[in-house]
Amino acid sequence: MAAGKKKSVGKASKKKAVPKKKATTKKTSPSKKKVTASKAAVPKRKAVPKKKSVPKKKAAAKKKLAVAEGGMKRFQSVESQQRFSRQVCAEGGKIGFVPTMGAFHAGHLSLVKKARSQNDIVIVSIFVNPLQFSEGEDFERYPRDLARDLDQLRDAGVDAVFLPEPHEMYGENFTTTISVGEMATRMCGAYRPGHFDGVCTVVAKLLGIVMPQRIYLGEKDAQQLVILRRMIADLNIDVRVVAGPIVREKDGLALSSRNTYLSEAERAEAPRLYEALRLAQREILVGQARDPIALTAKMRAHIEASRHLRVRYIEMVDPESLEPREVLTGRTLIALSVDLGETHLIDNLLINVPGGRMAAGFSAPA
Ligand code: AMP
């Protein structure tokens, strides 16, 4: 499919380029070119791009809303957050929302920055959601640093922070949860039963509380992103999902709040996750590898060459359905999870596998 598209784009652009070039030479070659160019081009250029681009720029700039005055707001109750969001809506403001569990790093802040550039009002939630942790997981010891987080959000120009306590989100009578289905049993879901149901339940609640036009999610949590997109589509929730790229350390390790758990020795070996992903990318793009089983074995060998690292899973899947690829073809998500001592880390890479003879038969459903 990818190869077909490339061909047709190439043909189309060649056909279009010929008349354009002719037209340009006619306008620019005569000695009167400055006069003719200005006479001919000015009205057109002013009329066409300005009409299209000005409203877009205005929409992207922060509207001055009365409700946002007085610095960054903090809301702990659902009611106060909803009241604020309704006021924003009444003033015609658009809300960009970044849900988080706090302990910020540059990955979180990249989402906040993106939201800041695209909305009138930016709201961030900080909530370590008990519903998405199984027994024995790190809910209690999950890193929390509220004072530092709030400083960073203030510096980033955030308008409001929603900071509920668990009992505010899940009161005594709380009973309804979201059931994701099969997608939530794959990959991380196989090791964390109920995790994605918990994630979807809290995000659905947060969307009902914050009422944003856009929600910002990181590609770092690829399975979460796919599942939340699916939930939002399935439940017809009126919000646009904006994904942000993975922010990494210089040595390739994806930033994560859980990196603080790593011992010095584990941290030194942690870049192997990304190295394995890049190895797979090279094997696919340069070495023409198309067999996920052989490629997975190579990745595993690279990771487990360190005695500190043990692979939970390496999956090569369709990035929308999360169905495993039998042959690598089309857009393919390579995702992995690795245990480093007590800590488990995830990472992924989306690769556009070029079409080939082996892959051709599989390209249609992809
Ligand atoms: P968390 O606080 O771990 O729930 O993450 C909040 C949001 O930040 C999620 O949408 C994550 O996918 C995103 N995020 C976490 N780490 C990164 C990273 N390294 N780069 C980009 N986004 C990230």
Side-chain angles (χ1 to χ4, degrees):
M1 272 175 85
K5 271 184 190 169
K6 270 183 194 165
K7 274 181 192 170
S8 63
V9 170
K11 277 179 190 170
S13 58
K14 271 180 195 167
K15 277 180 191 169
K16 279 181 187 168
V18 178
K20 269 188 188 168
K21 273 182 189 166
K22 278 183 184 170
T24 323
T25 34
K26 270 184 190 172
K27 277 181 192 169
T28 53
S29 57
S31 55
K32 289 177 188 172
K33 68 179 178 186
K34 275 186 187 170
V35 180
T36 43
S38 58
K39 270 184 187 173
V42 167
K44 274 183 195 167
R45 278 180 191 163
K46 272 186 181 171
V48 179
K50 273 198 175 176
K51 271 181 196 168
K52 282 184 182 171
S53 64
V54 168
K56 274 184 193 166
K57 277 179 189 167
K58 272 189 180 170
K62 191 180 173 186
K63 257 187 213 164
K64 281 198 172 175
L65 303 182
V67 70
E69 275 167 24
M72 189 171 81
K73 315 275 187 295
R74 287 168 60 164
F75 302 114
Q76 286 187 292
S77 72
V78 168
E79 197 191 335
S80 59
Q81 176 58 67
Q82 280 179 327
R83 197 181 316 122
F84 178 82
S85 292
R86 278 196 210 99
Q87 283 166 350
V88 174
C89 180
E91 289 190 51
K94 300 271 184 252
I95 298 175
F97 172 49
V98 187
T100 79
M101 298 204 298
F104 293 154
H105 50 64
H108 295 108
L109 297 176
S110 70
L111 294 177
V112 172
K113 194 172 168 196
K114 198 166 195 163
R116 182 64 290 163
S117 71
Q118 296 178 342
N119 302 276
D120 306 311
I121 294 290
V122 176
I123 300 175
V124 175
S125 65
I126 301 176
F127 180 58
V128 184
N129 174 33
L131 221 58
Q132 69 190 65
F133 289 80
S134 309
E135 240 170 75
E137 288 193 327
D138 57 344
F139 174 70
E140 296 296 341
R141 69 173 188 131
Y142 192 84
R144 292 163 171 88
D145 193 346
L146 186 58
R148 183 172 160 272
D149 286 353
L150 292 176
D151 283 345
Q152 296 193 74
L153 294 184
R154 217 172 279 113
D155 291 347
V158 166
D159 298 287
V161 192
F162 181 48
L163 301 152
E165 290 293 331
H167 62 79
E168 180 68 10
M169 294 294 277
Y170 306 114
E172 264 177 30
N173 298 326
F174 179 83
T175 173
T176 309
T177 57
I178 286 178
S179 169
V180 175
E182 217 228 320
M183 264 185 180
T185 63
R186 299 174 187 279
M187 297 157 69
C188 284
Y191 295 84
R192 306 185 72 187
H195 170 70
F196 290 109
D197 290 357
V199 169
C200 283
T201 302
V202 80
V203 171
K205 282 172 70 66
L206 289 167
L207 290 173
I209 296 164
V210 175
M211 299 180 258
Q213 277 67 42
R214 296 188 183 96
I215 180 169
Y216 293 80
L217 300 169
E219 288 170 0
K220 156 83 188 332
D221 297 278
Q223 187 175 13
Q224 172 176 283
L225 174 63
V226 172
I227 287 175
L228 285 174
R229 273 192 202 281
R230 188 73 258 148
M231 176 194 78
I232 285 165
D234 285 350
L235 302 185
N236 307 103
I237 301 176
D238 188 14
V239 67
R240 195 161 145 198
V241 176
V242 183
I246 301 175
V247 180
R248 299 178 179 281
E249 300 280 8
K250 276 193 184 139
D251 61 11
L253 175 64
L255 297 189
S256 164
S257 306
R258 290 189 168 99
N259 290 352
T260 55
Y261 296 158
L262 300 175
S263 70
E264 216 172 289
E266 289 162 354
R267 174 62 188 84
E269 298 292 343
R272 281 179 182 272
L273 277 74
Y274 187 52
E275 285 166 15
L277 291 166
R278 293 299 300 266
L279 170 88
Q281 188 180 40
R282 265 197 315 278
E283 291 282 326
I284 290 169
L285 299 181
V286 183
Q288 313 295 324
R290 296 292 182 268
D291 175 8
I293 295 171
L295 198 48
T296 300
K298 279 192 183 170
M299 293 175 71
R300 180 184 284 271
H302 181 79
I303 293 168
E304 296 190 340
S306 163
R307 67 183 177 86
H308 295 286
L309 274 56
R310 283 295 160 267
V311 170
R312 278 190 169 189
Y313 68 79
I314 297 173
E315 296 274 357
M316 304 186 184
V317 300
D318 179 295
E320 276 159 38
S321 66
L322 302 181
E323 289 280 344
R325 291 245 189 267
E326 287 176 32
V327 173
L328 299 176
T329 184
R331 288 173 76 238
T332 299
L333 177 71
I334 305 189
L336 50 82
S337 173
V338 172
D339 285 323
L340 298 92
E342 295 293 293
T343 310
H344 66 264
L345 298 182
I346 55 169
D347 201 350
N348 70 83
L349 199 60
L350 189 63
I351 297 176
N352 204 358
V353 183
R357 265 171 56 206
M358 266 177 83
F362 291 84
S363 60

